[in-house]
Amino acid sequence: MRFLLDDEQRAFARSLDGMLTAAGTSAAARAWAAGEHAPGLAVWRGLGAAGVFALAAPEEHAGLGPLPVETAVAFVELGRHAVPGPLVETVASVALLSRLAELGAPDAVKRLLPGLVDGSAVATLTLAGAGAGTGTGTGTGARALDADAAAVLLAAGDGDVRLAPGYTDLRASLDPARRSAALLPGGERLASGAHADAAARRALDWAALATAAQCLGVGYALLDRTVAYVRERTQFGVPVGSFQAVKHRLADVLLGLAFARPLVFGAAVSLAGGGRQAEVDLAAAKVAAGEAAHHAARAALQLHGALGYTAEYDLSLWLLKARALRGAWGGAGEWRGRVVRASRE
């Protein structure tokens, strides 16, 4: 599949790139990992003003969409700049609440959705029994990402959607900028039964797309930084980037990203159109983008040598994020299984 963004979509990507470059997201990510959310929330409000979170909401609820392709455009840039926070979870929450609005639960939407759409509030979300979990777990017992920074704590799945009353057991994860917690049981029920299940499925679809696009952006960032490094580092009096083995390794990374990109945007097009094909396309995108980012991280670590293992070096922000995102909202095996099941139905 060949997918070309139109002029407006490319301009949107450039505007986000410029805004995030100026915002100093690397410093914000390090502060977020230390529990200091203020710099990251300043970036968050900028993203809200740019309409990033509004892309998953319909116009009747102050949104701009739903626009899955533009969401993918945005999340590639968020991954490229290592923006911290529960970005995927907030967009998935917007999609979930929007679906509840379609099914007749306007009170909850009117209360919760506007703040998420405009970036003034942060959400986190877990899905139980919906086929994939968030952060560090899957299925029942999944842990919520960055609950300490979120004003809206949603737990969905197993025929129930509720607002959790709080969280406990905050833990560090393999990515210091992604901390997980267990949501407390109970809280206000927003939906149950078939409506809750339909909303949970919508949230999972949007989470898969956003995670795949974020992986793609992380992979691009790792490739760009590694190419720049091997051009500067010399051995035997020449740049190491001139060695055939290095060129071949980076070409493999580029090929993986080039293969994943049309799958990600193709999944966005399928999601916009609806139907059964979207499930297969989302699964393919999630697997391909996660694996491409993982291979980019392995190559970046090897070609940077000992410097790649240095936590103070900014490369680590993307190395760890690639590993965390690969398994977020379900690992490769789980999503491949979804393709198999869909093909049998």
Side-chain angles (χ1 to χ4, degrees), residues 39-66:
L41 292 177
V43 176
W44 194 282
R45 289 189 292 271
L47 294 173
V52 169
F53 306 113
L55 296 170
E59 293 182 2
E60 57 264 33
H61 295 289
L64 300 172

Side-chain angles (χ1 to χ4, degrees), residues 311-336:
E312 291 77 13
Y313 189 53
D314 276 354
L315 185 75
S316 66
L317 300 176
W318 287 273
L319 289 174
L320 296 172
K321 194 169 292 295
R323 186 177 176 189
L325 288 173
R326 185 190 187 199
W329 296 92
E334 184 172 349
W335 284 96
R336 288 189 178 105

Side-chain angles (χ1 to χ4, degrees), residues 8 31 41 65 73 100 112-113 123 128 144-145 154 181 197 206 229-230 254 265-266 292 296 299 302 308:
E8 289 187 1
L41 292 177
V73 170
L100 289 182
L112 297 173
L113 197 50
L145 182 68
L154 288 170
D197 289 338
W206 280 77
Y229 180 73
V230 298
L254 179 60
F265 285 106
Q302 180 184 23

